[in-house]
Each structure stands twice: as C-alpha cells, then as structure tokens.
C-alpha cells in the first residue's frame, strides 16, 4: 500500500485517539476497559448523576411550598400531594396566571403527559430547610455539590468516579456547572454528542453521517492490520526495555491498545450513535443521553448535569421561575426514565442528587417583583433500580417556616431536627440545640449510602470535617 502525508496523518490521528485515555498499570489479570477492569471499577454497584439547578432555585415554587403572600401566590387549594407519600409540592404557574401541574411525557418519546410528581414521587426524597450558609454564586455550587464551602474538595461525582471508575475512559462526564475532581481523574465534556462519536470511532472521517454514507480513513481490513502491527511493536518495545520506568510506560500504553479495548470502543460508538437520535427542545436532554449511553456501555460511572435555564430571578420571578422549574423537571424525568428503560443501567441502579446554589428571599420591591438570594434551600435525591433500596421514596425530611416570632421573615427559616428516641429516624425539633440541616449532612448520608464512608480510601482523604455530627443521619431512609 502506498502511503502519502494525508494517509500518514489520518492513521496517526486514529492511533493517537488511544493516547487520550488515562495511564494505567496492568492490573490483576485485567486490562483497561476490559470486563475485569470494569468489574474492578465497581461495575455491579450503582451509578451516580448530580443535577444542578443553575443559579439558586426557589424551593417554595416546587418542593417546599408555603401559603404566604409575601412569598408565593399559592392558596391551600393550590398545593398538591402524592398518595402514599409525604410529598407536598407547588403547581406550575403559567404566564396567564393559570396554575397547573408540571407535566412530563408519560414515557420517553410519548406525546401524552403526566404530572411529574405523580409519575416519580415514589422515587424521591426531599430534604427541606438545608442551610447552605452562603448567598454567593461563587460559593453556593461548591456547597451544594461537595457539602462544604471549603476549597480543595472534589465534587460528589468527582470523588465517586475516582473511587468507582478511575480506570474507565469516560469515568466522569459533565454538561457544565460545578464539577471538580482535585486532579483525581479527568473530566469529559458532553456538550456535543458528535464529538464523542468521533473520539469513539477514530477510523471514520465524517462520523456524524448516516452509517451508509460514512467515509473511513482506511478499509476495515487495513485499519485492523495497523492495530495488529502497533500491538506487535508495543510487544517488541516491552521486550527490549530494561529501565523500570520505560517498561512501565510501555505497559501503560499497551494496555490501552488491546483488541478488548477496541471492541469496547466499537460498542461505545454504537451507544453514542443511539444517543444522537435523542431529540428535544430541552438542550440538556441529548447531552444527558450521551452521558447515559457511556454509562450503559460501561465506560462511565458518574455525570454532572446543569439546567439550561437560570433560576436567578431578581425580577419577574413568577414569570421566569416556573420556566426554569419545567426545564429542570424535564431533565430529571428523562434521566429517571432512561435509567429504568436501559437494561444495563437498570441492572446496576442509579442515584440522582439535585441541588442548587442556595434559596431565594420573599418577594422584593422590584416591579415586577423578583426574589433575591437567601441561604436556606432544598435538595432532592432520587433512585431507581437496585439503588432504590438506598432511599425511602416519597419521603420528606426537614421543615421551614416563613415567620420569626410571628413576623414575616426575609426568607425561609429552617427548623432544626433530631433523631427519634430509638435513633432510627429524624423528626423536626425546633430546639436551637439540635441539628440545623446543611448540604454537608445530605452529602454524608449520600456518601454512606454509596459506600464512600470514612473508611473508603478516597473519601477518607476528603472528610467533611465541619459537619456535626460526623456520623451520617438517617436522611435518605430510616435505619
């Protein structure tokens, strides 16, 4: 075969795609992205997604509604419940003043709709009265997704991916927002499904085209021959190496170029092809589909998503906030539906943690009225598949009030909680000496549920030392 500069560069680019994979040591009988490597990465345990409500949501317009004209337009008749659960939630306020449920498709791709909470309420734990102790957009996301205002901590998904999938090629994916790994693992951006398709299918030049129209750099037989020759060269280099560091370097590269790796990348590219068919007016949903395709293929264990609509409603709160809430619930609905319908994800289970920078005040004096920043907020935790056993669906923990000594407060005031006499559950206390819930308490409970307690070597490096008590509280379910 003749080779010119274009052929040389295309073959080099195809081979170089493997160099973006993490450096690995050959493990105990396992190789990178092989079945044994995925098993070592915890392929039988749950997966994790965090969902960021961008720029501070107002919980009174969703999971912590109050009938108080200084805060909401709700009446007692407006508030909704889900049979068999403790959930109470606010309606969707349309631009014309109509109050309706927040609706989502009954299933992926369906044109019929259903109330989000009727559909998913039994999968949710709501934690109200979470004090993030900040009103700064620079600090709030860090608090919500690490459990601390202190720098130097990985976000929950960063720590989880490092502990459960450090050897996987796309162990942590994100669509944006606050995601931090403290250098433990690389992050893959999921903003473009087509880019991910190209990385996974390195021999296809026009990878976004239909399969019948795709143009390959080289015929499959030639490309396979190149792969074989590269592996043979790696073997010769390994045999000739004498310096330990050089030997390890060769082994690290060799582990990324096995036939097992390429076979799995072919499966991953097919998964991305399927994800590329997901269309939605909500731009985050196709991106979420790509993340979950990687999870289904065994290449990813954690992802962080962020809403495309902002909740920073300093003006026109009642017009803009419901739009952002709908955006959020559409994403969460898709994630839960896809997790339940994808057999690979459903077999492992998925936990989803929803949070935001902080909360919002009562109405301000702008015209039309908006709401400003306030530290007290809410969080949600959802779970499907085997992960559902980690929570008690339909549960509400914590409580807030809009009053202080009978007067209207500037924002929601959280009530303290304490454990029940048997220590098995939480109850509202109100006593200043009891526990004021924080994002750190939620994180400790989630860490414990996911096996990232203080005896885990990764979690032990990043303790939430400011949280009192240090033992996790029964937030997700009674003990």
């Amino acid at each position: 075969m003749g080779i010119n500069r274009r052929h040389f560069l295309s073959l080099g680019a195809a081979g170089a795609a493997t160099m973006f994979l993490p450096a690995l040591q050959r493990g105990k009988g396992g190789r990178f992205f092989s079945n044994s490597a995925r098993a070592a990465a915890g392929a039988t345990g749950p997966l994790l997604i965090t969902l960021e409500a961008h720029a501070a949501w107002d919980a009174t317009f969703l999971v912590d509604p109050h009938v108080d004209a200084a805060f909401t337009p709700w009446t007692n008749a407006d508030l909704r419940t889900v049979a068999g659960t403790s959930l109470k939630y606010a309606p969707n306020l349309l631009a014309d003043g109509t109050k309706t449920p927040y609706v989502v498709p009954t299933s992926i791709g369906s044109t019929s709709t259903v109330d989000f909470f009727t559909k998913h309420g039994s999968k949710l734990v709501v934690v109200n009265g979470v004090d993030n102790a900040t009103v700064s957009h620079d600090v709030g996301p860090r608090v919500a997704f690490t459990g601390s205002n202190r720098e130097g901590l990985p976000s929950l998904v960063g720590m989880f991916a490092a502990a459960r999938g450090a050897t996987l090629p796309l162990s942590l994916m994100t669509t944006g927002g606050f995601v931090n790994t403290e250098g433990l693992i690389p992050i893959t951006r999921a903003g473009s499904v087509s880019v991910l398709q190209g990385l996974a299918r390195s021999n296809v030049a026009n990878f976004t085209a239909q399969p019948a129209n795709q143009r390959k750099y080289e015929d499959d037989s030639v490309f396979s021959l190149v792969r074989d020759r590269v592996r043979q060269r790696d073997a010769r280099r390994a045999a000739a190496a004498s310096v330990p560091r050089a030997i390890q370097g060769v082994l690290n590269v060799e582990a990324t170029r096995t036939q097992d790796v390429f076979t799995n990348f072919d499966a991953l590219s097919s998964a991305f092809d399927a994800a590329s068919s997901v269309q939605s007016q909500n731009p985050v949903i196709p991106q979420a589909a790509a993340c979950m395709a990687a999870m289904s293929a065994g290449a990813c264990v954690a992802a962080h998503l962020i809403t495309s609509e902002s909740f920073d409603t300093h003006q026109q709160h009642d017009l803009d906030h419901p739009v952002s809430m709908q955006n959020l619930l559409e994403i969460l609905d898709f994630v839960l539906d896809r997790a339940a319908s994808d057999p690979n994800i459903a077999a492992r289970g998925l936990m989803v943690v929803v949070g935001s920078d902080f909360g919002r005040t009562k109405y301000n004096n702008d015209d039309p009225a908006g709401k400003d920043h306030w530290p007290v907020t809410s969080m949600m935790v959802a779970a499907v598949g085997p992960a559902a056993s980690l929570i008690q669906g339909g549960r509400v923990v914590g409580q807030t009030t809009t009053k202080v000594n009978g007067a209207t407060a500037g924002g929601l005031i959280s009530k303290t909680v304490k454990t029940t006499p048997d220590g098995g559950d939480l109850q509202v206390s109100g006593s200043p000496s009891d526990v004021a819930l924080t994002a750190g308490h939620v994180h400790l409970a989630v860490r414990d549920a996911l096996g990232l307690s203080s005896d885990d070597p990764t979690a032990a490096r990043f303790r939430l030392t400011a949280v009192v008590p240090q033992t996790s509280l029964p937030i997700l379910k009674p003990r």
Side-chain angles (χ1 to χ4, degrees):
M1 177 188 70
I3 186 166
N4 56 29
R5 184 173 183 274
R6 175 170 294 183
H7 278 122
F8 175 76
L9 291 175
S10 64
L11 288 171
T18 64
M19 299 303 293
F20 288 93
L21 307 177
L24 302 169
Q25 297 181 2
R26 185 177 298 231
K28 185 179 179 181
R31 291 183 177 134
F32 176 75
F33 205 16
S34 66
N35 291 333
S36 54
R38 282 182 284 175
T44 58
L47 303 162
L48 176 65
I49 289 178
T50 48
L51 175 53
E52 182 175 343
H54 175 50
W57 69 353
D58 177 11
T60 68
F61 265 57
L62 193 65
V63 292
D64 192 13
H66 286 268
V67 178
D68 186 327
F71 286 81
T72 72
W74 315 137
T75 66
N76 284 316
D78 294 329
L79 305 190
R80 300 167 182 269
T81 59
V82 179
T85 76
S86 301
L87 300 181
K88 180 182 291 186
Y89 59 100
N92 182 4
L93 181 64
L94 302 183
D96 63 2
T98 304
K99 300 169 184 175
T100 66
Y102 284 100
V103 296
V104 293
T106 53
S107 60
I108 294 175
S110 173
T111 56
S112 60
T113 59
V114 63
D115 183 334
F116 172 88
F117 287 98
T118 300
K119 180 179 179 182
H120 295 299
S122 62
K123 308 179 186 83
L124 299 174
V125 173
V126 172
V127 188
N128 290 326
V130 176
D131 189 350
N132 280 4
T134 184
V135 290
S136 165
H137 286 304
D138 292 330
V139 179
R142 184 189 311 137
V143 175
F145 295 105
T146 70
S148 173
N149 62 7
R150 178 167 61 89
E151 294 183 351
L153 292 175
S155 57
L156 180 63
V157 286
M159 183 171 61
F160 181 81
R164 299 289 182 265
T167 63
L168 299 179
L170 307 173
S171 57
L172 173 58
M173 301 181 70
T174 181
T175 65
F178 183 85
V179 57
N180 183 39
T181 70
E182 286 302 306
L184 295 173
I185 50 167
I187 300 171
T188 300
R189 300 288 172 180
S192 171
V193 179
S194 62
V195 170
L196 295 171
Q197 286 176 291
L199 289 173
R201 185 172 283 128
S202 57
N203 191 37
V204 178
N206 57 335
F207 45 80
T208 59
Q210 294 297 317
N213 300 322
Q214 288 179 347
R215 185 180 70 258
K216 296 181 179 180
Y217 289 115
E218 301 294 343
D219 292 339
D220 287 341
S221 60
V222 174
F223 198 62
S224 178
L225 183 63
V226 170
R227 289 174 170 177
D228 288 340
R229 293 296 183 268
V230 167
R231 285 193 286 271
Q232 291 171 18
R233 183 194 64 192
D234 289 341
R236 290 194 300 271
R237 289 177 60 201
S242 58
V243 179
R245 184 172 181 180
I247 295 172
Q248 188 60 63
V250 172
L251 292 177
N252 286 346
V253 173
E254 184 186 10
T256 71
R257 298 206 277 228
T258 65
Q259 183 57 47
D260 196 16
V261 168
F262 286 115
T263 299
N264 281 296
F265 263 94
D266 289 341
L268 179 60
S269 64
S270 297
F272 283 143
D273 287 345
S276 69
S277 67
V278 174
Q279 302 295 319
S280 175
Q281 292 183 340
N282 187 320
V284 182
I285 287 178
Q287 298 170 348
C291 295
M292 300 185 76
M295 288 180 170
S296 179
C300 173
V301 294
H304 181 79
L305 313 177
I306 186 171
T307 58
S308 56
E309 296 286 343
S310 171
F311 286 86
D312 207 17
T313 47
H314 290 274
Q315 292 183 316
Q316 300 189 134
H317 176 276
D318 289 5
L319 287 174
D320 294 341
H321 221 78
V323 174
S324 300
M325 285 294 185
Q326 181 69 43
N327 180 267
L328 170 75
L329 295 180
E330 287 170 355
I331 299 166
L332 183 55
D333 169 70
F334 174 83
V335 167
L336 295 177
D337 277 1
R338 178 55 63 97
S341 61
D342 184 294
N344 295 332
I345 299 177
R348 295 185 61 171
L350 174 73
M351 179 177 285
V352 185
V353 179
V354 184
S356 193
D357 306 23
F358 35 80
R360 307 206 78 85
T361 64
K362 64 182 179 181
Y363 290 116
N364 58 30
N365 294 321
D366 290 340
D367 187 17
K371 291 189 175 186
D372 298 319
H373 299 178
W374 189 259
V376 176
T377 184
S378 293
M379 297 181 72
M380 293 194 296
V381 179
V384 294
S389 65
L390 304 177
I391 72 169
Q392 182 186 70
R395 175 176 171 83
V396 178
V397 175
Q399 192 177 101
T400 61
T401 179
T402 61
K403 306 292 185 183
V404 175
N405 297 324
T408 299
L412 294 180
I413 305 299
S414 58
K415 295 184 177 181
T416 56
V417 299
K418 64 179 181 180
T419 54
T420 53
D422 64 1
D425 205 351
L426 286 180
Q427 61 186 18
V428 174
S429 163
S431 170
S433 62
D434 289 322
V435 177
L437 287 173
T438 67
H441 291 105
V442 179
H443 276 259
L444 281 181
V446 170
R447 285 187 181 195
D448 192 51
L450 295 174
L452 295 176
S453 52
S454 58
D455 57 351
D456 178 89
T458 303
R461 295 173 55 190
F462 304 103
R463 298 172 65 92
L464 298 175
T465 55
V467 180
V468 179
Q470 279 285 285
T471 54
S472 66
L473 297 171
I475 291 176
L476 302 184
K477 66 177 184 178
R479 294 191 177 108

